[in-house]
Amino acid sequence: MIVEAYKIEIKGLVQGVGFRPFVYKLAKRHAIRGNVENNNEGVLIQAEGNRNHIQQFIRAMKAEAPVASKIAAINIKVEPIIGFENFSILPSHSYSNEITEVSPDIAVCDACLEDMKSQPHRIDYPFTNCTHCGPRFSIIKVLPYDRHNTTMAPFKMCDTCHSEYTDVSDRRFHAQPVACNHCGPGYSLHLSNGEILNDFETILEKVVRLLDGEKILAMKGLGGFHLSCDAFNEDAVRLLRLKKNREGKPLAVMFADLETVKNYLHVNPEEEKLLQSWRRPIVLLREKKPLPFSVSNGLNTVGAMLPYMPFHYQLFEKLQTSALVMTSGNLSGEPVLIDNEKALEKFAGIADAVLTYNREIYNRLDDSVCMVVNGKERVIRRSRAYVPASITLSHNTEGLFAAGAELVNCFAIGKGNKVLMSQYIGDLKNPETLDFYAESFQRFRQLFRFKLSLAAADLHPDYFSTKFAMETEMPVELIQHHHAHIASCMAEHNLDEKVIGISFDGTGLGTDGKIWGGEFLICDLIDFERPFHFENILQPGGDLTIRQPWRMAASCLYHYFGEDFLRKMHGKLFPYVEQEAFDMVLVMLKNRINCPETSSAGRLFDAVSALTGVCTEASYHAEAPMRLESVAAENVRDSYPFAIQEGQISFKPMFAGLIDDLENGKSLSVISAKFHNTVVEVVEKVVEKLSVTTGLKKVVLSGGSFQNKILLKNTEILLRKKGFEVYSHEQVPSNDGGIALGQLAVAARRRETGEIVKQEVNNSDNQLNNQ
Ligand SMILES: [Zn+2]
Ligand SMILES: [Zn+2]
């Protein structure tokens, strides 16, 4: 038997996920001698053995890798034979400034759930975890990922846990948060009468009684608090809504198991896989059997997830109900609460009891949200179990900080050729959220040993993120909003060339000082041109139109058909708008008072949603487009006409047809479908025109409007049918939560080429004041 020696380097997410013990076990199985250690970029293996055995060893490594690990590359080099006698795990040595990947949090594994029924020291222990599962990013403060650097530090391991922790053949070998009934964290239940329960069995019983009894519970989760109640009880859900002041937003639901999800919601195989994945995101699914109205407030989709903490499983074992509302534990607009004291104070008037535990959450995380379109996972909110997994670019990103946008903010930092995107932060206009932003930036900086050298930010000078970037006193690269959207999707797919970019969203400042959002770009990672866009329409009252979409509908009618027509239509199409308010909007339009111009796709959806009466007042972000999508009929092929003139897309013919349909009593679901089809056809027509003039065949879709399933699905299908290569978002949100990646990619590319692109707003026509 000929012995050969190799050095095997594994790059990717292979630290903090049980990779070294996994390699150790495989080496034993395949009679490999040598050692394994963590290095800066991943895991390094010295392997000696028979060639066949080594091949099997490497194959098994790929096939059986721990669930949360991600092998990016395996490099194999022949080495001189040293003559190892056995296989060992070498201790981690100190880390340099290079990036070390930190594992996201992982849902409890089946083996641990089993241990909770069989291991004497872990019977019913709700913080059971192992190297394959449990908290990670939520508890880590600094690297390396060792227990004393996490919020597990105050808990001293008992002898049993310690022997598991040091036994290389144990599933808990080097599981940093290892704990049991004798030594780990525990729950406390705070009742509204001031009583505090500490015995777990009593707590579980009480919580079950409260939830089955229509009560509201605040409960500390993995990345923050949840507010919870019986999802099948309309009264309880309505009360939770009322108390939380959550306006109309749909509430997420945790189901006991997959079977229950399937009873109520349509689940295809990809969605099923996603629901059950170790990330356990919220998955948006279409309703089959209705849940109480207040859960989704009339939308036909529900955000569903499965249990991911041991406590969730323990709850459903005892509960009568098989579904719980699990909405972020925050007050409207604020970040999700993570602090026990604050939770007790803030939930006092909302929850009937507050369930806490005595391990600190260091990094705050909301539940992540996904959907499946055209067979692919699409992340809409990237947080728990996704962050801080990195994205690899083919450019040097070192020292870059991208500040993100304003509304659904995430920021990003660059290390080496990687991008680390922050968890979902939220709306920076809220002061608490802005604090969370600044704090998270400091924590990313510390955790990843980040040294800032160049910042990238949105062109909008009033965004808090832009101001934050300016205050770093580093040079700031300004990047136009819609260019950043396209660049984000390009970066996700490693594109670095000229493409046709379709960027549809609600609001972003354009280089002409107007509000953009229905944009067709020819761009690369450095700069862009804007050959086509939706026609500019006045936005009477600026941002107020987002709350009152009827203003946009009135503006479109005024723009396309004039004052007399709009007046004539008032009673028919806007019967709910008082004469005074109606007249005021008309005066604003005629005199262009507080009327910024916008080419926004979001506002077009708002206008149609209001015109059809589907949504005339919006109580939360993007409600009008979401409702319009929700009512659309399937299998309608018709569309409305439109016109393209001098680089602008006019929807005049569409509105004429749409009003005819309304007057002829066509159903709203048909009208909505026809409208969606029209937008898809607009994209097709413009892309064909652009392809003829430029020869480009790659089309990149981005922007919040592509969260609309119908739009994304049909646009992709139609463009592919026409022979285009279509790229859309998968792991990064298409909404503003993905913009930081694009900003960072553009900054990296500009720095690399030394190209100075001066992007500034033309002040002669500045409409910022109106935004
Ligand atoms: Zn486990
Ligand atoms: Zn223990």
Side-chain angles (χ1 to χ4, degrees), residues 600-613:
S600 160
R603 297 295 84 76
L604 177 72
F605 276 77
D606 282 353
V608 173
S609 193
L611 209 54
T612 51

Side-chain angles (χ1 to χ4, degrees), residues 20 24 34-39 44-46 84 87-93 95 168 173-174:
R20 284 178 307 156
Y24 176 86
N35 56 49
V36 55
E37 66 177 322
N38 280 339
N39 73 359
L44 189 67
I45 302 164
Q46 308 233 53
F84 292 104
F87 196 89
S88 60
I89 297 183
L90 301 181
S92 317
H93 39 75
Y95 291 73
V168 74
F173 175 73
H174 274 216

Side-chain angles (χ1 to χ4, degrees), residues 158 161 179-180 183:
C158 70
C161 283
C180 75
C183 64

Side-chain angles (χ1 to χ4, degrees), residues 534-606:
F534 287 2
E535 189 172 353
N536 288 322
I537 302 283
L538 298 179
Q539 202 177 330
D543 269 352
L544 193 56
T545 54
I546 298 169
R547 295 241 146 208
Q548 301 186 341
W550 69 266
R551 286 169 177 258
M552 245 6 257
S555 177
C556 287
L557 297 192
Y558 176 82
H559 178 82
Y560 288 125
F561 310 109
E563 181 182 348
D564 290 347
F565 183 81
L566 176 57
R567 279 193 185 285
K568 204 175 82 192
M569 285 295 158
H570 177 192
K572 263 190 210 162
L573 295 173
F574 313 104
Y576 48 87
V577 178
E578 307 247 334
Q579 191 65 45
E580 206 178 327
F582 184 84
D583 287 343
M584 192 165 69
V585 163
L586 199 56
V587 168
M588 288 165 82
L589 288 168
K590 278 161 73 176
N591 301 296
R592 294 187 160 233
I593 303 162
N594 192 12
C595 278
E597 285 181 64
T598 183
S599 57
S600 160
R603 297 295 84 76
L604 177 72
F605 276 77
D606 282 353

